[in-house]
């Protein structure tokens, strides 16, 4: 199931909140039956539970447009495999993902050919995976993590402008730096 709530806050701010929960469970019968047996060679049961929480804020201030969002997702997976002639095999894992992102763009100052504009983005993310499996009595455990950030920025300088009638004979010409 999921719930989403969006609301304007004042004239220049919007907010959205999202919460989701899903669960799936299934059973698989795998392999050929042994002679004289009605049981399949393998029975696999899998259960997956996923939860997501997210929010986004967006607004406008003095010609600037901006957005900030964050989300957290977690997924738990549990698999149990019964082998007719061997021990129970299990695999469990949990994956957690956190993401934070901010964007903004707007005017900086005016030149004769027009407005100098800038945009910027920054993000932070974390991903963690923990797992444990038991196969033929042997237990394997792993824990993996990754963290990353990025920042990107651009500035556009108008040099000539037909609309602003500055160097109109040259058309619209600008320089961008990233």
């Amino acid at each position: 199931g999921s719930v989403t709530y969006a609301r304007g806050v004042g004239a220049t701010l919007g907010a959205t909140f999202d919460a989701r929960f899903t669960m799936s469970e299934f059973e698989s019968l795998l392999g050929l039956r042994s002679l004289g047996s009605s049981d399949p060679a393998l029975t696999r049961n899998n259960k997956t539970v996923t939860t997501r929480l997210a929010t986004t804020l967006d607004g406008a201030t003095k010609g600037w447009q901006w957005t900030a969002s964050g989300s957290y997702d977690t997924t738990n997976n549990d698999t149990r495999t019964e082998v007719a002639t061997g021990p129970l095999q299990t695999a469990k894992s949990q994956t957690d993902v956190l993401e934070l992102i901010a964007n903004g763009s707007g005017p900086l100052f005016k030149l004769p050919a027009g407005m100098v504009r800038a945009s910027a983005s920054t993000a932070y993310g974390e991903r963690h995976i923990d797992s444990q499996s038991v196969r033929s009595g042997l237990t394997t455990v792993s824990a993996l993590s990754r963290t990353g950030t990025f920042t990107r920025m651009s500035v556009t300088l108008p040099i000539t402008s037909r609309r602003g009638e500055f160097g109109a004979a040259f058309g619209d010409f600008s320089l961008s730096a990233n």
Side-chain angles (χ1 to χ4, degrees):
S2 67
V3 174
T4 301
Y5 178 74
R7 180 171 177 107
V9 181
T12 61
L13 180 65
T16 303
F17 302 96
D18 183 40
R20 298 180 191 179
F21 176 82
T22 59
M23 183 174 75
S24 65
E25 219 170 336
F26 62 88
E27 178 179 71
S28 302
L29 305 176
L30 308 168
L32 298 173
R33 291 186 167 102
S34 301
L35 285 176
S37 172
S38 62
D39 294 330
L42 296 173
T43 302
R44 179 170 293 148
N45 294 293
N46 183 277
K47 180 178 180 180
T48 303
V49 177
T50 302
T51 305
R52 174 179 177 78
L53 299 172
T55 188
T56 301
L57 299 173
D58 58 69
T61 306
K62 297 182 182 178
W64 279 79
Q65 301 291 319
W66 58 269
T67 302
S69 62
S71 65
Y72 174 72
D73 297 89
T74 185
T75 301
N76 290 287
N77 191 28
D78 186 2
T79 303
R80 304 172 71 73
T81 305
E82 296 178 37
V83 182
T85 59
L88 176 67
Q89 298 179 20
T90 62
K92 294 181 181 187
S93 67
Q94 179 172 332
T95 303
D96 298 306
V97 179
L98 171 70
E99 293 181 322
L100 304 170
I101 302 170
N103 301 297
S105 65
L108 292 176
F109 55 89
K110 189 166 177 60
L111 292 177
M115 190 62 71
V116 175
R117 301 190 64 78
S119 66
S121 297
T122 189
Y124 173 80
E126 289 184 15
R127 180 176 302 264
H128 303 280
I129 302 171
D130 296 309
S131 66
Q132 176 180 331
S133 65
V134 178
R135 304 262 191 261
S136 301
L138 179 64
T139 301
T140 304
V141 177
S142 67
L144 305 170
S145 292
R146 175 181 286 172
T147 301
T149 59
F150 84 83
T151 299
R152 187 176 13 213
M153 187 172 188
S154 68
V155 176
T156 302
L157 299 154
I159 305 299
T160 63
S161 171
R162 282 182 257 170
R163 188 179 342 156
E165 297 182 8
F166 183 81
F170 297 103
D172 293 324
F173 180 68
S174 61
L175 293 175
S176 294
N178 294 305

